[in-house]
Amino acid sequence: MKTKTDQILVIGGGLGGLAASCTLAARGYTVRLLETNSWLGGKAAVHEEQGFRFDMGPTIVTVPSVLRRIFAEAGQALEDKLDLVRLDPQWRSFFEDGSTLDLVADGPEMAKRIDAFSPGTKSGDGYVKFLELSKRQSDISERVFFWRPIGKMMDMFSARDMVRAGSLQDVLAIRLGRTVSGLLRSYVPDERVTQMLDHFTQYVGSSPELSPAVLCGIAHMQSSEGVWYPRGGTAAVPAALEKLAVQLGVKIETGVSVSRILVEEGRTVGVETSSGEKIAASAVVSNRDSVLTHRDLLGGPVAGKFEKRRKYEPACSGVVLYLGLKKRYEHLLHHNFVFSADPHLEFDAIYEQGIPAPDPTCYVCAPSGTEPGVAPEGGEALYVLVHTPYLRPGQDWKVILPAYRRTIIDKLKRTAGLEDLEERIVTERILTPQDIQDRYQVLHGAIYGLASHGRISGSLKPSNRSPDVKGLYLAGGSAHPGPGMPMALMSGWIAADALDADKAVPKNPKVHV
């Protein structure tokens, strides 16, 4: 292409693409966002039926400081754009033995609750010590891992970092070679409490028994910054970002599918759409799955080089039930976990055998207590998520689903006290791994991008700055720093910041603030 342009193209209007678009536009660049679907926000979508409103994807907002930084790029305050409600207790845990335990943000208070829940085990003391380590790991991540494009271990440590006082202690604190599960159990003896804490890694769709111990830092992030609900549901987040993007001058086009990223002499020069239109660009930010960006949009030697760099395993998928209930359950909190009897068997089934867990953990969101408008008066828009393996060859979810739906319903009846659940259902919709793959165009139906498995490098994802194509940047849950709502948003900011630092694209003299 010989057309000269200073515009930046963003492929995909998920959370990462929106964050990148807003950050770049706020810094003075000309940005055009192309989205295949009719909505923005990717998985942060909405399903409405018979007066019920469901968040279809993420339901938990954590680490709001990431959103705050994105809005600050345009000189705006997050609190002026979103009505955020803090939830504490953060979630309720239901265990197979009939016991329950609420997770609260305050560490000492949580330790007292754990001691009352598990007397004589010193699990409360262990939890306090675990949180201290989690804070250390979170601080290290903030300093060397977040807010910069990382693709390999050495990207985290500059020469200055390596000679800085305390750098050896930092390396020791991240517990290289340990897993989340193993580290947790070295602090907290009660298996039910560790099962609850294991599930912080479910934010990244990975097994705590295979994930690096540094991910224990998630516990501090959540306890320190809290769990939040934006009124209007989590779809209010992309709606607020879309509004900001438009205000900043981003040109947004929905219903436009990109079929190819155009590369000349090792540099991206634009994209080609499925209709055959070629659109010139000085740089491209892809918010599409990073593996599929290379396989489907680049191909050839570039894709081959990317695939040879390391093995990229999809994170888990899931079955999601959206159940409109005529009557809400008063004993449910906004967020709830209904745990399996044996987490080791559960994780082995999902992540090792590649089969649905016979006794699954169910995440249950019951938002009507926080926002009654999600359901008709007295009702509930119940959201149930069960993690499953990513799609394997030969798995037909049309065949698997009927029996597995029964497994999920029976689990909720038995362990969470929802004995009359089926009598309360007035509307129902279900997403399977196949549906998730088809709807969101993700690798093998993976909800959370790429798995974080591996004791040393499990936390590493493809860098936000492509090492193979100049002018190409990656955002989203399958790029650094990984999956989850705050991380996907952060990935967009990092991609935009890296592009800005490279100074390869002239800025628009018009200031969009």
Side-chain angles (χ1 to χ4, degrees):
M1 295 179 69
K2 297 182 179 180
T3 304
K4 182 173 175 57
T5 178
D6 292 334
Q7 78 173 343
I8 298 167
L9 290 178
V10 177
I11 303 172
L15 294 173
L18 285 168
S21 297
C22 290
T23 302
L24 288 166
R27 295 191 185 186
Y29 292 98
T30 300
V31 181
R32 184 174 174 183
L33 188 155
L34 308 176
E35 166 59 47
T36 301
N37 296 308
S38 60
W39 74 90
L40 298 180
K43 301 182 194 75
V46 177
H47 172 59
E48 296 185 84
E49 184 177 355
Q50 297 184 34
F52 296 93
R53 189 189 76 223
F54 301 89
D55 286 320
M56 293 195 72
T59 61
I60 299 179
V61 175
T62 60
V63 200
S65 58
V66 177
L67 268 172
R68 193 168 289 114
R69 180 180 288 208
I70 293 166
F71 279 93
E73 289 279 351
Q76 299 188 20
L78 171 63
E79 290 71 17
D80 294 337
K81 306 302 175 183
L82 285 171
D83 183 5
L84 293 170
V85 180
R86 188 161 191 161
L87 303 177
D88 201 13
Q90 296 177 338
W91 70 57
R92 176 161 290 167
S93 301
F94 294 85
F95 299 99
E96 189 73 10
D97 64 2
S99 61
T100 62
L101 179 63
D102 291 352
L103 178 67
V104 298
D106 182 75
E109 172 60 25
M110 189 65 218
K112 291 179 183 178
R113 295 187 179 212
I114 290 173
D115 281 335
F117 179 76
S118 181
T121 65
K122 297 185 179 180
S123 291
D125 288 343
Y127 177 74
V128 171
K129 293 176 182 176
F130 166 72
L131 271 190
E132 291 172 354
L133 176 65
S134 176
K135 181 181 186 305
R136 179 76 183 277
Q137 292 179 327
S138 176
D139 291 344
I140 294 168
S141 294
E142 186 73 17
R143 189 169 62 251
V144 305
F145 188 71
F146 295 152
W147 307 112
R148 64 170 85 178
I150 300 290
K152 56 185 184 297
M153 190 69 70
M154 287 309 299
D155 291 341
M156 290 187 284
F157 300 103
S158 66
R160 183 176 62 183
D161 290 331
M162 294 305 292
V163 299
R164 180 185 56 81
S167 60
L168 177 59
Q169 287 75 13
D170 287 350
V171 172
L172 295 175
I174 63 177
R175 298 296 198 271
L176 286 173
R178 303 284 302 271
T179 65
V180 168
S181 180
L183 186 62
L184 270 171
R185 283 156 181 77
S186 71
Y187 281 90
V188 180
D190 190 284
E191 183 62 30
R192 296 165 301 173
V193 179
T194 53
Q195 188 176 16
M196 177 184 73
L197 300 174
D198 271 341
H199 269 66
F200 283 122
T201 57
Q202 297 301 277
Y203 286 136
V204 298
S206 301
S207 168
E209 298 178 352
L210 301 172
S211 299
V214 69
L215 293 182
C216 288
I218 297 172
H220 171 73
M221 295 177 207
Q222 180 164 309
S223 64
S224 62
E225 290 208 41
V227 167
W228 301 82
Y229 175 78
R231 292 202 186 277
T234 49
V237 173
L241 290 169
E242 178 184 2
K243 186 175 181 181
L244 177 62
V246 171
Q247 178 187 342
L248 294 170
V250 176
K251 184 179 180 182
I252 298 174
E253 300 174 44
T254 57
V256 178
S257 178
V258 173
S259 60
R260 191 159 61 107
I261 295 174
L262 302 174
V263 178
E264 293 181 0
E265 298 178 353
R267 182 176 187 87
T268 180
V269 294
V271 304
E272 183 176 348
T273 70
S274 57
S275 66
E277 179 187 6
K278 293 184 178 180
I279 306 173
S282 293
V284 172
V285 178
S286 178
N287 185 206
R288 195 175 180 192
D289 179 283
S290 60
V291 174
L292 297 181
T293 292
H294 287 79
R295 286 183 186 173
D296 298 345
L297 303 186
L298 287 165
V302 172
K305 191 174 182 180
F306 175 85
E307 300 268 8
K308 288 179 182 177
R309 189 168 289 122
R310 60 178 294 189
K311 180 182 177 182
Y312 296 105
E313 178 191 5
C316 71
S317 188
V319 170
V320 192
L321 279 61
Y322 308 98
L323 306 176
L325 307 185
K326 60 185 177 183
K327 184 180 179 182
R328 72 183 305 268
Y329 286 99
E330 299 296 336
H331 69 287
L332 295 179
L333 294 184
H334 191 119
H335 301 299
N336 310 268
F337 281 98
V338 184
F339 285 110
S340 64
D342 189 327
H344 311 293
L345 293 178
E346 178 189 10
F347 295 139
D348 180 70
I350 297 170
Y351 299 103
E352 300 284 5
Q353 299 182 53
I355 61 173
D359 177 34
T361 291
C362 305
Y363 162 69
V364 179
C365 182
S368 68
T370 308
E371 187 171 13
V374 300
E377 185 174 358
E380 182 63 84
L382 199 72
Y383 170 112
V384 181
L385 168 64
V386 170
H387 283 161
T388 69
Y390 61 83
L391 282 173
R392 300 305 210 277
Q395 287 182 343
D396 185 345
W397 273 94
K398 290 180 180 178
V399 175
I400 298 170
L401 180 61
Y404 205 58
R405 177 192 178 277
R406 170 52 51 198
T407 296
I408 295 168
I409 296 294
D410 288 347
K411 177 68 178 180
L412 296 174
K413 288 181 175 182
R414 182 178 70 252
T415 309
L418 310 187
E419 291 90 352
D420 63 343
L421 176 59
E422 288 176 295
E423 288 73 41
R424 298 194 189 193
I425 297 173
V426 293
T427 70
E428 179 173 348
R429 181 179 178 183
I430 300 178
L431 287 186
T432 68
Q434 186 66 56
D435 297 324
I436 291 167
Q437 175 176 276
D438 296 343
R439 178 179 172 86
Y440 301 116
Q441 299 178 351
V442 292
L443 183 66
H444 300 311
I447 300 175
Y448 306 91
L450 301 176
S452 298
H453 294 160
R455 294 174 182 234
I456 303 296
S457 60
S459 58
L460 296 176
K461 303 293 182 289
S463 175
N464 312 92
R465 179 192 284 118
S466 170
D468 306 313
V469 179
K470 291 182 180 179
L472 175 62
Y473 302 83
L474 302 177
S478 60
H480 174 75
M485 200 167 188
M487 299 300 104
L489 289 163
M490 188 188 294
S491 76
W493 185 93
I494 296 171
D497 188 65
L499 192 161
D500 186 35
D502 291 344
K503 301 185 185 302
V505 182
K507 294 185 179 183
N508 189 328
K510 180 181 178 181
V511 179
H512 303 295
V513 179

